[in-house]
Amino acid sequence: MSVQLAVKPKLQPKIAAAGGSYDLVIIGGGPAGLTAAIYAGRARLKTLIIEKMILGGQASTAFQIENYPGYPEGIAGHELAQKMADQANKLGLEVLWGNAIGLKQENTTKLWSVDIDDKTVKAKAVIIATGWENAKLGVPGEAKFRGRGVSYCATCDGAFYKDKNIIVVGGGNSAIEEALFLTRYAAKVSIVHRRDELRADKILGERARSHAKIYFFWHSIVEEIKGDKNVSEVVLKDLLSSKKLIIPVDGVFIYIGAQPNSGFLKAVVKLDEKGYVLTDDKLKTSAEGIFAAGDVRAKILRQIVTAAADGALAAESAREYIEKP
Ligand code: NAP
């Protein structure tokens, strides 16, 4: 598979071969997985990270992170991700690029087999740190125009919209942060939100409301995305009046929340009704030897700092489990 390395660690991770046996396999190389790798490396556990795309995960696509302690001026997502990856690489991190698709435990040895595409590795313990992916609106035109006006990543695609009209859908932290980022390029950024109150942090809401390039469509939803070759207009519905509005746009950036990457775990560990992995306070899942960390876990606050904290705790719990006589 092709690997996008948005993060180019100064120290390259050792690329693992299939068929290896490890103390600990971490599925997912975002802040939770990388922090778990740092703690596991310091505990001298033989550790592998399986990652399908980018070390740093979703965090590496954030243009600026303002609430990670130690960076009062903020830090670019890819820069923070690179620092984390470098720190893990220094401790001998091994990476296997691929998509984890299955997990099963051997009856006799109690080792876990992790299937990655057409390969398998074995581990005494596993940490699930697969995070989430952007939720989809599910409206006509969304899939058709993906990459041709519909985007889920402002940092990746924003520069294509210089002096253009953009809408951002959603009212959470991601939508407002990315709308602010897009004002660097776009002539006008309209935020379409289904309520008249933002879910985002107050400080972000204040910034967006006072920005000269940002406009709001309150209590409105997108019903359809239209165009010919590329997006040219969206159909909005005002939920109070039920009136429809057609607005010409060049780009639609969708930030309406997250879907946990836990589909391959359904038969392995207990999930909540939304698909997030249930854990106890030591981050153990319902399956012995499997732990979960970061945004894929059922929890209250999904932030880089809480993902990192999860990674540390999951690695410590995994170490305890592995070293148990
Ligand atoms: P989020 O906080 O879940 O917000 C999703 C937004 O999309 C909400 O405003 C929601 O509306 C709206 N929405 C949901 N489904 C919709 C639909 N079908 N149609 C229209 N609108 C819909 O998601 P997020 O902003 O992607 O953030 C995900 C997580 O990452 C959150 O825990 C967030 O705090 C965290 N995060 C943190 C930061 C930061 O701290 N700097 C930055 C980015 C993300 P309602 O409000 O009406 O539900």
Side-chain angles (χ1 to χ4, degrees):
M1 73 177 290
S2 69
V3 171
Q4 292 177 13
L5 266 186
V7 179
K8 292 203 171 59
K10 286 182 206 105
L11 303 162
Q12 289 303 319
K14 188 174 157 199
I15 305 302
S21 193
Y22 294 86
D23 292 320
L24 178 64
V25 165
I26 300 164
I27 309 177
L34 288 172
T35 308
I38 291 166
Y39 277 72
R42 292 174 63 83
R44 298 289 185 234
L45 298 179
K46 188 171 178 331
T47 303
L48 173 76
I49 281 191
I50 297 163
E51 170 54 52
K52 64 176 176 184
M53 286 288 268
I54 301 170
L55 286 180
Q58 293 275 359
S60 61
T61 66
F63 85 97
Q64 189 76 348
I65 292 160
E66 294 183 3
N67 52 5
Y68 194 79
Y71 296 96
E73 308 306 328
I75 179 167
H78 69 89
E79 210 182 323
L80 183 61
Q82 176 166 327
K83 284 177 187 289
M84 290 183 182
D86 284 342
Q87 199 171 348
N89 290 335
K90 218 167 126 186
L91 290 158
L93 171 67
E94 283 188 55
V95 172
L96 187 61
W97 299 107
N99 209 2
I101 51 174
L103 264 178
K104 50 187 175 300
Q105 193 174 31
E106 291 174 6
N107 282 338
T108 44
T109 61
K110 297 287 172 205
L111 288 178
W112 284 95
S113 282
V114 188
D115 296 328
I116 310 114
D117 302 318
D118 55 350
K119 310 169 203 98
T120 300
V121 293
K122 290 189 193 307
K124 292 177 187 163
V126 176
I127 295 176
I128 312 287
T130 44
W132 51 266
E133 60 180 48
N134 291 98
K136 309 291 178 292
L137 278 172
V139 298
E142 182 182 18
K144 179 177 170 193
F145 292 109
R146 185 168 184 169
R148 292 187 291 132
V150 171
S151 172
Y152 303 86
C153 179
T155 325
C156 321
D157 300 330
F160 297 121
Y161 294 89
K162 194 160 182 339
D163 300 327
K164 307 272 188 198
N165 281 341
I166 290 175
I167 65 160
V168 171
V169 189
N173 278 330
S174 299
I176 306 307
E177 279 190 348
E178 302 309 321
L180 285 161
F181 171 70
L182 287 165
T183 59
R184 292 175 174 209
Y185 306 105
K188 182 174 169 185
V189 178
S190 304
I191 296 173
V192 178
H193 182 38
R194 63 184 179 183
R195 292 188 290 142
D196 54 11
E197 196 185 320
L198 295 174
R199 181 178 293 277
D201 294 349
K202 292 266 183 307
I203 188 169
L204 291 173
E206 285 161 15
R207 245 181 254 167
R209 284 168 196 268
S210 62
H211 199 291
K213 281 189 182 178
I214 293 185
Y215 299 80
F216 286 90
F217 288 97
W218 298 108
H219 39 78
S220 297
I221 55 167
V222 174
E223 281 210 326
E224 190 174 352
I225 301 168
K226 291 175 150 182
D228 182 14
K229 235 173 140 187
N230 298 310
V231 168
S232 60
E233 59 187 33
V234 291
V235 181
L236 302 186
K237 182 180 173 188
D238 183 312
L239 293 173
L240 295 185
S241 66
S242 290
K243 277 195 186 137
K244 298 205 179 181
L245 194 65
I246 296 175
I247 52 168
V249 293
D250 306 288
V252 181
F253 285 78
I254 300 167
Y255 288 101
I256 57 158
Q259 280 164 348
N261 291 320
S262 63
F264 70 107
L265 296 168
K266 276 182 193 148
V268 187
V269 294
K270 280 195 185 142
L271 308 176
D272 72 5
E273 70 288 352
K274 289 184 178 158
Y276 290 99
V277 180
L278 293 165
T279 57
D280 69 6
D281 57 2
K282 284 188 150 183
L283 307 195
K284 292 179 189 167
T285 68
S286 57
E288 206 189 352
I290 301 198
F291 304 82
D295 288 358
V296 74
R297 190 169 82 75
K299 60 194 230 172
I300 293 167
L301 186 62
R302 292 194 172 80
Q303 298 281 299
I304 298 173
V305 70
T306 59
D310 276 9
L313 179 55
E316 176 56 17
S317 297
R319 183 195 63 75
E320 233 175 63
Y321 171 79
I322 291 163
E323 291 177 354
K324 203 169 56 183

